[in-house]
Amino acid sequence: MALDDDKLFKKGLPIRRAVLGAEYVDGSMAKADEFMMSFQRATTAWAWGWAWGDPTLDRKTRSIINLAMLTALGKIPEVKLHVKGALANGVTVEEIKATLLHATAYCGIPAGLDAFKATHEVLLAEGAIKPKEAKPAKAPKKAAAPKAKK
């Protein structure tokens, strides 16, 4: 690509903020010392400016791909982060579920289970799904009194 890293960084930063949330991105940048800032610049330029900044795929499609790849890699903290991004990009709960089921079929049950648990936690926290209502506990049955012998 003809753009240099600084141009890619400037292109990627607003995309990263839009997908992951300005609070998260700005917080990551603010916490970064000189050493970590090199990573912040690289990920913003390459992942967000170069990859996400390419108009060939829309953001919804990219979010779905990310969820599948992160499930395959077992990168659960990133799954959580990108579930929020997927919701922001218009991916429905049903599409997220279908993506995770598809990834489970190809990546295995343990990877899928971890991704499902993490996604469920985020969907509940974001209000995208409602928690299951607890059923009231049934009172234990009293043992029948023994019958008297005649």
Side-chain angles (χ1 to χ4, degrees), residues 34-97:
E34 184 181 343
F35 181 82
M36 288 305 296
M37 187 52 84
S38 61
F39 176 80
Q40 290 296 324
R41 290 193 63 78
T43 194
T44 302
W46 302 339
W48 298 98
W50 183 70
W52 281 79
D54 175 350
T56 307
L57 297 175
D58 61 34
R59 290 182 185 177
K60 182 176 179 179
T61 301
R62 289 181 190 282
S63 283
I64 289 169
I65 292 168
N66 271 13
L67 290 176
M69 290 188 298
L70 293 168
T71 297
L73 292 169
K75 301 300 182 188
I76 299 309
E78 289 290 312
V79 168
K80 289 180 176 183
L81 180 61
H82 281 276
V83 168
K84 287 183 180 184
L87 292 170
N89 287 333
V91 182
T92 67
V93 171
E94 289 301 311
E95 290 168 329
I96 291 171
K97 186 190 319 178

Side-chain angles (χ1 to χ4, degrees), residues 92-143:
T92 67
V93 171
E94 289 301 311
E95 290 168 329
I96 291 171
K97 186 190 319 178
T99 300
L100 296 181
L101 287 170
H102 192 83
T104 299
Y106 282 85
C107 303
I109 297 295
L113 177 60
D114 286 348
F116 259 90
K117 286 179 179 179
T119 298
H120 185 256
E121 180 183 316
V122 173
L123 293 175
L124 285 170
E126 294 296 311
I129 61 172
K130 297 198 182 316
K132 182 178 179 180
E133 290 186 30
K135 292 181 181 179
K138 292 183 181 179
K141 292 184 181 180
K142 292 184 180 180

